[in-house]
Every structure is written in C-alpha cells, then in structure tokens.
C-alpha cells in the first residue's frame, strides 16, 4: 500500500441506517419532482391539443348605423368588448359591442345638466 491510497472503513450500523434513510428521502423527493413535471407537461399538452381542434370562427360582416351627424371620437377594446365613443350633436355617447359576435352590448349617454 502506498501513501496516496486511502482506506475507507466500512460504515457502522448507525451510519448505514443513516445512509439508507437519506437514500430513501432522496428517492421520495426525486419521484415527487418527476410526478410534478409530468403533471405540468400533461397540462400543457392538453391545452395545446385542445386548442388545435377548434373550428375556425365564421367571418361576420356587421353594419352598425350611427345617428345622423354622429362622429366617431375614439375606439378601444376592454376585455371582450369593443368600445366606441361617439359625438352626437355635442352629446358624448359610448356604445359597446361584444368582440366575438359584434352584437350591441350597451349604450351610455352623457348629457349636460340643464
């Protein structure tokens, strides 16, 4: 035997029990992590394949009539709503439409107090 050789003594019973316990805990932690990663991958795959099966929505042509003399001041999107601000003869009016079907969803008029 040379001086660079290291002799590792056999572990005692307490040490062997501790090593076995640590291995068991590491196995549990590894399996839990693998299960969590599999759950995330399954959820992502489900969402991807579910969205691919959707049929394309039909194109909807809608003509919204405005009151005589009305001017569009601004447009915007708020969630699932299309918001249009109108100036109707000096009175501000906000009209909202469903963004998917383009059906009217509401109307709000602003008027000055007399």
């Amino acid at each position: 035997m040379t001086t660079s050789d290291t002799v590792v003594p056999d572990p005692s019973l307490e040490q062997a029990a501790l090593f076995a316990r640590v291995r068991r805990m590491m196995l549990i932690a590894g399996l839990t992590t693998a299960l969590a990663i599999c759950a995330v991958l399954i959820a992502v795959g489900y969402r991807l394949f579910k969205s691919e099966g959707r049929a394309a929505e039909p194109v909807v042509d809608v003509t919204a009539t405005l009151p005589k003399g009305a001017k569009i001041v601004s447009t915007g999107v708020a969630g699932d709503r299309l918001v249009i601000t109108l100036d109707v003869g000096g009175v501000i009016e906000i009209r909202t439409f469903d963004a998917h079907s383009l059906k009217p969803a509401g109307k709000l008029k602003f008027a000055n107090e007399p």
Side-chain angles (χ1 to χ4, degrees), residues 40-52:
V40 169
L41 291 176
I42 288 170
V44 169
Y46 174 77
R47 295 287 297 205
L48 285 175
F49 287 115
K50 182 181 174 189
S51 66
E52 286 179 4

Side-chain angles (χ1 to χ4, degrees), residues 4 16-17 20 41 53 59 67 71 76 79 87 95-96 105 108 114:
S4 63
L41 291 176
V59 177
K71 295 178 185 177
D87 181 1
R95 293 188 182 188
T96 57
L108 176 64

Side-chain angles (χ1 to χ4, degrees), residues 50-66:
K50 182 181 174 189
S51 66
E52 286 179 4
R54 290 185 187 166
E57 294 183 18
V59 177
V60 179
D61 290 331
V62 176
T63 302
T65 56
L66 299 177

Side-chain angles (χ1 to χ4, degrees), residues 98-111:
D98 181 61
H100 300 291
S101 65
L102 297 179
K103 292 181 181 177
K107 184 189 298 189
L108 176 64
K109 288 184 179 184
F110 295 97

